[in-house]
Amino acid sequence: MCVCVSVELRCYINPSTPCHTTPHCTISFAILTTIQTSFLFFLSHFLIMDKIHSHRQVAVIKHSLFDQGYLDEQFIQLEELQDDANPNFVEEIVTLYYRDSSRLISNLDHTLERNPLDFNKLDTIMHQFKGSSSSIGAKKVKAECTLFREYCRTRNGEGCRKSFQQMKKEYAILRKKLETYFQMARQAGPKETALRPK
Amino acid sequence: MTLLSNSMDNGCFSSPRHEAFPAGLRVLVVDDDPTWLRILEKMLKKCLYEVTTCCLATEALKKLRERKDAYDIVISDVNMPDMDGFKLLEQVGLEMDLPVIMMSVDGETSRVMKGVQHGACDYLLKPIRMKELRNIWQHVFRKRMHEARDFESHEGFEALHLLMNGSEQSDDGNIFAVEEITSIKKRKDADSKHDDKEFGDHSPTKKARVVWSVDLHQKFVKAVNQIGFDKVGPKKILDLMSVPWLTRENVASHLQKYRLYLSRLQKENDQKSSSSGIKHSDSPSKDPGSFSFLNTASNKQQSDVVIDSFSPSDGSLLQMDAPSHEGDLKRILSEPTTEKRRASPKSSQMSLNQPFSSVESSEASHAIFDCTIQTQYSWGEFPKGPLKEEQKTTVQLEDSFSQLPLHGTRHHIQVDQSQSIASINSNPSITEEEVAPSLDTKPLYAGYKSDYVSPVSSMGTAVDTFPNQSKSLILNDQSPEPIFTSNLGLKTDGFDVDCISDLDFYQRSLLLCGDAASAPLEEDLNFFLLQTEWYNMNFGQQNIDISECYDPRLVAEAPGYFYDSADYSSVDQSLFIA
């Protein structure tokens, strides 16, 4: 169609060429061209905008994760480690973290059910959990871990339980947000990593 | 230059890392957290290092022992399920002498200090940044520089100069030179160690790095004791030891290790001090002999602990519960070990011999000691006696092994206790010298006895070679018979794994040194015995009930020395392997 249009246009521009198109054909062709190009223009614009929009969405989610203190610098470090050799490095790490942390949380659950509470054991498990959470930069979760360990140190069973519930909540929220984040990132495409919150 | 080329070709693991240093640095990462393991692996790969990961400390130790020169640096987490990170740190430092970096999410000053005390060259806080990992090569380089310096003071001086001069033009050249020297040294170390095992002969070592042989350590301990633990210092120890090729730095580092060892024993002893059977533990530093030994060997605090363990009721060998014995003995051993490493080896060796002599009196203990002593000798204190001072550490290995067979015989003698005792008692002179009324050692022995049983049996094979020697050693002059309580079932939580691997190592060495049959000096025997005990102690997991060997005489002699040796041997074990 474009070729036709261009041919027509050429004919139109160069009247010397033996063109057998009628003037009104030329005009129609011109209109066609305009429509075509504008169509293409809007189409591409739409697609690009959509992509930008998706990326922006991802960026927004990411920004919120950082601004609200769910993630810290470590997460950015992980992203910087991502490269061609490991294109899904961050997700891989986060998946490892989920696995490890789930195990530790259920371990904590069991240990908190005991009576009397074994504070040393609780502290040990939580120490592990804190270390694990620091690997992806789970800031709020880490803060809750520190609080929990403080309660362990002062042998405050009730404080431990409350802190643990709070920590589980933060963990669940973070996990959900991260899942959304990765989903959007996957949809938006590879350009996503370029949009990084500063 | 053939040396250089040889070193380069030696082993497939030797990568031409010197060409692109620090790229290609071979790092071993140990962490039980799989997430961090993966992250660190990726980070280190980005720094162009060669990474090997482990999630268990025991696995890491195994890897390190498999090929001593396979790694340049170790990064380890502090909190691990199977082994304490600090313990791993100590082991690696003693056995392989590699730089170790600790890491943890806990950055409390006390923890960091503990890490540095145990010999960590750096302590990183999690979360770890890339930039922190980029610079870890400096620790490797620094160590090589030190080694090169040591190398200079020994044979190979020419080679070093040759290398250094040749590469003076560029920094890279220097690095290469250092690396080459180190690799040469390491290769020679490895070779000579192997050779030593075969021949059991002390040959003048050409290694740059000081290997703390049994003799050397004995001298060290002796010097430490002479000076008095309170006033001990590397310079004094060095002077007393009068080992020409030993430098102050060698002594200083050995002293530090020895102190660490003693403090560790002390701590463990504290944990086990609940057992009332351990009288020695109750009497803090009542025993001048043992105390002095302890003091010199370790820091004040450590010595206190050690003394506790050592302080057996004067002259009374007590039946020590296995655990308490273990703890004490371990402490003692650890202390001397660290001390040994730092102070002149002579003193340590000497001091160790003393306790051994006293302890060896008891037959039963002999049996047990055999195992431990054997092990311990291998660690670095060759019962061959202080005569072998001039021999470098590589020889040590041989010595230890030769000792081991000797003791092994004794082990065999488990059945024939008298025989073993005889051999052990061969160091009358030693016992009298420094054997202060360190009764403490005796109880320890008792505890360790049982432990020794199993390792001893394993080593029994090589033992047969030295039946005569052991007999000769048995001088029975004062032979305070070591008290061997049957509960050798000292269980050292942390030791089990280590012990087993150590045991394997020793067993292998033992077999290798089958012909290293040199007339063990009495001192050696004693030392050996002590080491065996120590070794047994370390093999706490083996709950072997050994017939108790109670020797009141032993109690009266220098139980403290005995402990020293024992402790020494345990620590030496790792040192020895280095």
Side-chain angles (χ1 to χ4, degrees), chain B residues 17 68-69 71-72 93 95-99 139-157 160 164 177-187 189 206-210 247 249-250 257 578:
Chain B
R17 61 193 183 283
K68 298 255 157 138
D69 284 358
Y71 305 101
D72 295 313
E95 286 184 35
M96 292 108 203
D97 197 24
L98 286 176
H139 304 294
V140 179
F141 187 64
R142 192 178 298 123
K143 203 146 200 142
R144 288 184 187 159
M145 297 288 303
H146 289 312
E147 283 173 349
R149 241 191 288 132
D150 284 350
F151 191 71
E152 252 188 31
S153 58
H154 302 142
E155 290 122 307
F157 189 93
L160 175 65
M164 294 307 272
V178 174
E179 291 205 25
E180 282 164 345
I181 293 164
T182 310
S183 52
I184 294 171
K185 193 168 59 70
K186 283 188 178 172
R187 192 175 56 79
D189 283 345
K206 281 144 188 96
K207 295 186 211 169
R209 195 154 56 88
V210 174
T247 69
E249 288 78 27
N250 302 142
K257 286 183 184 159

Side-chain angles (χ1 to χ4, degrees), chain B residues 204-418:
Chain B
T205 332
K206 281 144 188 96
K207 295 186 211 169
R209 195 154 56 88
V210 174
V211 178
W212 283 86
S213 65
V214 170
D215 292 347
L216 215 52
H217 183 76
Q218 279 172 1
K219 289 205 193 91
F220 169 85
V221 174
K222 185 182 180 194
V224 166
N225 288 346
Q226 262 179 271
I227 299 169
F229 189 66
D230 299 346
K231 315 182 222 97
V232 73
K235 183 86 176 58
K236 288 184 188 162
I237 297 170
L238 186 60
D239 293 340
L240 262 179
M241 279 179 70
S242 58
V243 173
W245 49 268
L246 205 61
T247 69
R248 193 196 155 282
E249 288 78 27
N250 302 142
V251 173
S253 71
H254 195 73
L255 182 65
Q256 184 189 47
K257 286 183 184 159
Y258 188 59
R259 284 199 173 119
L260 275 178
Y261 168 70
L262 290 176
S263 72
R264 188 158 56 81
L265 281 189
Q266 188 182 5
K267 234 178 289 164
E268 286 168 14
N269 198 40
D270 286 342
Q271 290 169 5
K272 296 178 184 171
S273 57
S274 54
S275 91
S276 53
I278 306 171
K279 281 195 193 170
H280 61 271
S281 51
D282 293 345
S283 45
S285 64
K286 296 279 161 61
D287 212 349
S290 56
F291 186 74
S292 63
F293 174 71
L294 294 173
N295 278 334
T296 49
S298 57
N299 300 329
K300 267 308 187 146
Q301 40 183 321
Q302 293 171 351
S303 51
D304 288 342
V305 178
V306 178
I307 294 177
D308 283 348
S309 57
F310 281 152
S311 58
S313 40
D314 305 336
S316 56
L317 284 180
L318 304 169
Q319 297 270 334
M320 309 287 267
D321 296 341
S324 44
H325 288 281
E326 199 177 53
D328 293 339
L329 189 56
K330 281 204 196 116
R331 255 189 310 146
I332 298 168
L333 288 176
S334 57
E335 285 183 346
T337 323
T338 38
E339 271 294 316
K340 269 196 301 188
R341 287 168 78 79
R342 302 194 129 253
S344 67
K346 288 181 194 171
S347 56
S348 53
Q349 288 174 344
M350 290 305 287
S351 50
L352 283 174
N353 283 337
Q354 310 266 330
F356 278 123
S357 49
S358 56
V359 180
E360 296 178 348
S361 48
S362 59
E363 294 185 5
S365 54
H366 286 301
I368 301 174
F369 284 121
D370 287 347
C371 310
T372 43
I373 293 180
Q374 288 175 350
T375 324
Q376 301 191 333
Y377 269 111
S378 55
W379 175 63
E381 300 201 22
F382 290 97
K384 298 261 160 85
L387 304 181
K388 313 258 164 83
E389 310 170 359
E390 46 286 9
Q391 283 143 3
K392 295 288 172 80
T393 44
T394 51
V395 183
Q396 290 175 343
L397 190 57
E398 293 178 51
D399 285 345
S400 59
F401 285 117
S402 48
Q403 291 297 341
L404 286 175
L406 180 58
H407 294 289
T409 359
R410 280 196 282 222
H411 182 62
H412 266 314
I413 300 176
Q414 268 191 338
V415 186
D416 179 3
Q417 290 186 342
S418 54

Side-chain angles (χ1 to χ4, degrees), chain A:
Chain A
M1 191 200 221
C2 293
V3 173
C4 293
V5 171
S6 57
V7 167
E8 290 304 325
L9 282 171
R10 222 183 305 128
C11 289
Y12 183 72
I13 294 166
N14 193 353
S16 59
T17 55
C19 234
H20 299 294
T21 53
T22 56
H24 100 187
C25 270
T26 314
I27 296 171
S28 62
F29 272 125
I31 295 172
L32 216 48
T33 312
T34 321
I35 294 171
Q36 206 172 350
T37 48
S38 51
F39 170 74
L40 286 172
F41 171 73
F42 283 117
L43 183 64
S44 56
H45 183 78
F46 174 75
L47 288 172
I48 291 169
M49 288 313 289
D50 189 55
K51 194 166 177 91
I52 292 175
H53 182 66
S54 313
H55 281 161
R56 215 169 263 166
Q57 270 189 319
V58 175
V60 164
I61 294 181
K62 197 182 205 172
H63 265 114
S64 85
L65 280 169
F66 282 90
D67 292 342
Q68 292 171 24
Y70 287 101
L71 292 177
D72 62 24
E73 243 284 315
Q74 178 65 13
F75 197 80
I76 298 175
Q77 285 269 303
L78 292 182
E79 288 188 324
E80 278 172 4
L81 285 174
Q82 194 157 287
D83 56 13
D84 293 338
N86 300 94
N88 299 313
F89 185 70
V90 189
E91 252 195 284
E92 186 189 333
I93 293 291
V94 174
T95 312
L96 275 173
Y97 169 66
Y98 289 159
R99 207 190 309 160
D100 204 32
S101 49
S102 310
R103 177 181 61 87
L104 289 168
I105 286 180
S106 76
N107 207 348
L108 279 164
D109 260 324
H110 287 142
T111 315
L112 277 169
E113 277 167 17
R114 298 220 202 110
N115 215 342
L117 288 178
D118 184 352
F119 287 106
N120 287 336
K121 185 165 182 206
L122 286 172
D123 186 69
T124 309
I125 305 172
M126 194 44 100
H127 185 266
Q128 271 183 292
F129 190 84
K130 187 176 175 192
S132 201
S133 303
S134 71
S135 69
I136 67 157
K139 202 165 164 190
K140 281 198 176 179
V141 174
K142 249 201 328 180
E144 214 48 57
C145 291
T146 311
L147 196 60
F148 182 93
R149 290 189 77 198
E150 189 53 34
Y151 283 129
C152 281
R153 197 182 63 82
T154 55
R155 300 291 194 262
N156 184 345
E158 200 42 49
C160 279
R161 289 202 175 88
K162 276 209 190 118
S163 173
F164 182 60
Q165 294 307 318
Q166 185 62 24
M167 191 218 74
K168 274 203 283 190
K169 239 193 272 176
E170 297 289 350
Y171 174 78
I173 295 172
L174 173 69
R175 195 157 168 166
K176 194 141 179 292
K177 286 192 182 250
L178 278 175
E179 270 164 16
T180 314
Y181 169 75
F182 283 121
Q183 218 171 16
M184 301 268 358
R186 254 179 269 131
Q187 280 174 7
K191 279 281 183 205
E192 192 280 327
T193 48
L195 307 168
R196 218 170 280 182
K198 291 295 176 238

